[in-house]
């Protein structure tokens, strides 16, 4: 039974969709005015995994992720470069799609743009004015926060606290400092659209309400985004949507934690961010390998927790994946060896599927899922050592492929995976590759292998993996053969 942490209620709840067998979900996308950073990558990956697991669990999923293509930041960037706003939008929309493809994330079911929904936006604002929830000031329209008594229930603060602590635009024309813009009168040279209040453009918050309701209905199942969107963006979405429709907006609100550098939130305003493109350019592997490494790294922390980014973290993710792809290679090479029957493999397959479902149904616990894969790798290594039949080896590899597809891991062939330990993350201060350690003498290699054999006998598979990784850092690859012997080569 799937349980999700609902920001709205502040607790885990059993997930029950509005319509049996079908899930409708919306995640806030990017404002296309610049390159995407790792915070955007994490959010996109989190909600792709939510979508993929729901599919795996048997639901028909409609997933909407928007693009904000009219915004103050876009206009400012266009003015700075002396180009049109559309030029900026087109450039960074292509960059976003490139980054998502590199990450291995498929597009959402529907990817609407704000500028394609002006009729929906204007119609919603008209409804809010007619119901007394919004008011006109010259060519602008503001939402009257005091007209919605439940304002603040998502961020768990009352209106007085929000007024005291929130950063709000200074505008003496507002009835209340917390009132926010639904429509902004156009200024010379800015993109503008017709409305009953004159030429102008929508405020940021109304765009997502209009687009989500247009494509998912007045009430839907899941609304997601980064924790930085809880207030004011999602708080404002709830207020204007519920006020306009008289219905509950989204039932479950999911928010992913920040990506940090040295325990400080990664953000463009602080200048401490890495773009997705920079990460791929630093990593000296194919895009497919780099994408899988980055996914593994991001998924090793629960989506609601903060994640500290480092080159070392990426290297550790690569080494973990090396262990899996080494297993896949040995499974393939051993396929001609007769051994245990399929019945001997089934308990391990059942443990993987049952364990994977159990952890993922606990609020999409991806670190737990990775632990299940590691445990299954240990089972597979033991089975391989004892001897596997052709069909059993294929079933083991297929289990990794099918279950891993939810996280988009283990989808490459072992031939496509790159093991070279001298490649990896480029230096943060230069273009040189991080060097491998000094070569080990044969005697030391034999000593470490003997220690690894004993660790495996003692079922200390963590120590055995550590030794394998240590040898790899020195340029040594090892191969556990079906007859129980281990070979190594530089």
């Amino acid at each position: 039974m799937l349980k999700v942490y609902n920001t709205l209620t502040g607790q885990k709840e059993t997930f029950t969709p509005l319509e049996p067998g079908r899930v409708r979900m919306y995640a806030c996308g990017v404002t296309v005015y610049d390159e995407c950073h790792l915070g955007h990558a994490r959010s996109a990956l989190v909600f792709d995994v939510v979508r993929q697991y729901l599919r795996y669990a048997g639901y028909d999923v409609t997933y909407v992720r928007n693009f904000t293509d009219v915004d103050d930041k876009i206009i400012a960037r266009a003015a700075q470069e002396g180009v049109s706003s559309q030029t900026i939008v087109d450039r960074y929309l292509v960059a976003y799609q490139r980054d998502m493809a590199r990450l291995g994330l498929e597009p959402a079911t529907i990817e609407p743009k704000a500028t394609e929904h002006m009729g929906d936006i204007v119609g919603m604002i008209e409804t809010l004015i007619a119901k007394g929830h919004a008011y006109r000031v010259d060519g602008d329209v503001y939402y009257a926060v005091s007209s919605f008594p439940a304002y603040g229930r998502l961020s768990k603060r009352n209106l007085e606290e929000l007024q005291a602590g929130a950063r709000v635009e200074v505008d003496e024309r507002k009835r209340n400092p917390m009132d926010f813009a639904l429509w902004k009168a156009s200024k010379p040279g800015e993109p503008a659209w017709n409305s009953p209040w004159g030429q102008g453009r929508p405020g940021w918050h109304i765009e997502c309400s209009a687009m989500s309701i247009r494509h998912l209905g007045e009430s839907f199942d899941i609304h997601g985004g980064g924790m930085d969107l809880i207030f004011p963006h999602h708080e404002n979405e709830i207020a204007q949507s519920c006020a306009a429709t008289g219905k509950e907006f989204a039932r479950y609100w999911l928010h992913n934690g920040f990506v940090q550098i040295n325990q400080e939130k990664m953000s463009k305003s602080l200048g401490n961010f890495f773009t997705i493109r920079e990460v791929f350019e630093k990593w000296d592997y194919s895009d497919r390998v780099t994408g899988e490494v980055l996914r593994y790294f991001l998924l090793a922390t629960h989506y609601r927790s903060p994640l500290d980014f480092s080159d070392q973290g990426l290297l550790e993710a690569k080494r973990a994946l090396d262990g899996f792809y080494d297993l896949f290679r040995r499974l393939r090479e051993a396929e001609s060896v007769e051994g245990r029957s399929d019945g001997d493999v089934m308990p391990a397959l059942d443990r993987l599927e049952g364990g994977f479902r159990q952890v993922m149904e606990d609020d999409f616990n991806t670190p737990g899922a990775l632990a299940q894969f590691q445990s299954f790798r240990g089972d597979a290594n033991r089975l391989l050592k004892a001897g596997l039949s052709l069909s059993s080896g294929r079933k083991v590899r297929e289990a990794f492929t099918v279950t891993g597809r939810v996280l988009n891991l283990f989808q490459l062939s072992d031939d496509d995976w790159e093991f070279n330990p001298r490649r990896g993350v480029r230096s943060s201060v230069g273009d040189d590759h991080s060097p491998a350690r000094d070569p080990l003498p044969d005697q030391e290699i034999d000593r470490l292998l003997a220690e690894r054999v004993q660790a495996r006998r003692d079922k200390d598979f963590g120590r055995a993996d550590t030794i394998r990784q240590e040898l790899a850092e020195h340029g040594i690859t090892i191969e556990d053969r079906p007859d129980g012997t281990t070979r190594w080569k530089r």
Side-chain angles (χ1 to χ4, degrees), residues 81-274:
E81 296 189 15
V83 298
S84 69
S85 293
Q86 192 60 49
T87 298
I88 298 297
V89 167
D90 291 343
R91 178 196 306 165
Y92 292 111
L93 183 57
V94 169
Y96 178 85
Q97 292 167 336
R98 173 204 67 207
D99 290 340
M100 294 304 106
R102 280 177 146 184
L103 282 168
L105 307 184
E106 66 178 272
T109 315
I110 305 168
E111 296 187 331
K113 300 182 182 71
T115 57
E116 297 171 348
H117 292 75
M118 286 300 167
D120 298 305
I121 292 168
V122 169
M124 192 170 187
I125 295 173
E126 287 182 306
T127 298
L128 289 168
I129 292 174
K131 290 188 172 185
H133 293 285
Y135 57 94
R136 297 175 54 176
V137 179
D138 301 324
D140 298 331
V141 180
Y142 289 99
Y143 183 88
V145 169
S146 61
S147 71
F148 188 71
Y151 192 82
R153 63 182 174 136
L154 185 69
S155 54
K156 308 296 184 292
R157 290 174 288 181
N158 60 42
L159 187 56
E160 290 74 21
E161 291 172 330
L162 291 169
Q163 285 177 296
R167 293 174 58 189
V168 295
E169 297 177 14
V170 177
D171 189 336
E172 294 180 353
R173 302 175 304 160
K174 291 182 181 181
R175 296 177 184 173
N176 185 310
M178 290 300 301
D179 293 350
F180 56 89
L182 300 174
W183 189 262
K184 299 180 180 181
S186 62
K187 298 175 183 176
E190 292 184 351
W193 288 262
N194 292 324
S195 80
W197 320 286
Q199 288 266 304
R201 56 189 172 86
W204 175 35
H205 312 299
I206 195 70
E207 296 174 2
C208 282
S209 287
M211 286 186 281
S212 58
I213 289 174
R214 171 68 177 82
H215 294 288
L216 297 174
E218 293 178 340
S219 298
F220 53 92
D221 299 300
I222 296 173
H223 196 312
M227 285 186 175
D228 55 327
L229 299 181
I230 294 174
F231 183 85
H233 186 50
H234 288 166
E235 195 76 72
N236 291 351
E237 278 192 67
I238 290 174
Q240 63 201 9
S241 302
C242 294
T245 67
K247 300 176 182 178
E248 189 62 73
F249 184 38
R251 301 184 70 199
Y252 303 92
W253 289 81
L254 278 58
H255 293 94
N256 64 275
F258 298 129
V259 176
Q260 303 178 150
I261 302 291
N262 297 323
Q263 274 126 40
E264 186 175 51
K265 177 194 168 188
M266 181 186 295
S267 72
K268 291 179 179 176
S269 61
L270 294 174
N272 66 340
F273 67 95
F274 291 99

